[in-house]
Amino acid sequence: MTVPRFWREIPQRYNLQASKCGACDAIHYPPRTVCPECRRASIGNLEEVKLSGRGTVLESTRVHKAAPGYEAQVPYTLALIQTEEGPVITGQVVDHDGRAVSAGDDVRAVFRRLGEDGDAGVIYYGTKWVLA
Ligand SMILES: [Zn+2]
């Protein structure tokens, strides 16, 4: 990921910032400027909300071959997390000390180092998840 794109996304990454549609109450993460369900009816009708950081694992997988920039972290656990508010987020589950992460496990968001850009030496921080 490029540095400018990363910094543009900072509020959502750091604060789990989402959008709530005033027409249908749907919550979207990352935040939208138009609700995909209501479209025109949602324009000017969306408010920013912050996700609680609590959720439940829907599915998880152990990653052994990392994406560029994440090599130092393998193996790691990636999970689909159903947040309390509704949006499903893909996230890394950390600090589970070899314990299996399974569907139905409760998790909470924590602020951690995400990775780094080897060439630029930039370290990224953001949201990861731990077993609750
Ligand atoms: Zn809507």
Side-chain angles (χ1 to χ4, degrees):
M1 177 182 318
T2 65
V3 170
R5 182 176 151 213
F6 186 84
W7 286 102
R8 273 199 307 275
E9 294 175 355
I10 284 280
Q12 346 174 338
R13 288 176 175 277
Y14 279 27
N15 301 319
L16 287 177
Q17 198 178 83
S19 60
K20 181 177 181 179
C21 174
C24 72
D25 286 341
I27 294 177
H28 297 101
Y29 178 87
R32 306 287 182 94
T33 50
V34 176
C35 172
E37 286 83 31
C38 305
R39 298 176 186 274
R40 295 179 72 94
S42 70
I43 295 171
N45 221 348
L46 289 159
E47 64 171 311
E48 271 181 15
V49 293
K50 187 178 183 304
L51 302 181
S52 66
R54 287 187 294 271
T56 305
V57 172
L58 295 176
E59 237 180 273
S60 73
T61 186
R62 196 87 174 131
V63 176
H64 293 274
K65 190 165 178 8
Y70 295 84
E71 293 90 346
Q73 300 182 33
V74 290
Y76 59 84
T77 301
L78 212 53
L80 270 184
I81 295 154
Q82 170 89 59
T83 59
E84 198 171 64
E85 294 84 358
V88 174
I89 296 177
T90 303
Q92 191 177 339
V93 181
V94 295
D95 299 347
H96 55 91
D97 298 323
R99 201 199 119 185
V101 175
S102 314
D105 284 345
D106 289 329
V107 288
R108 65 181 170 81
V110 291
F111 186 68
R112 293 288 165 81
R113 176 186 171 127
L114 284 185
E116 63 188 279
D117 179 329
D119 295 332
V122 177
I123 298 173
Y124 302 119
Y125 291 88
T127 301
K128 291 188 181 182
W129 301 80
V130 294
L131 294 171

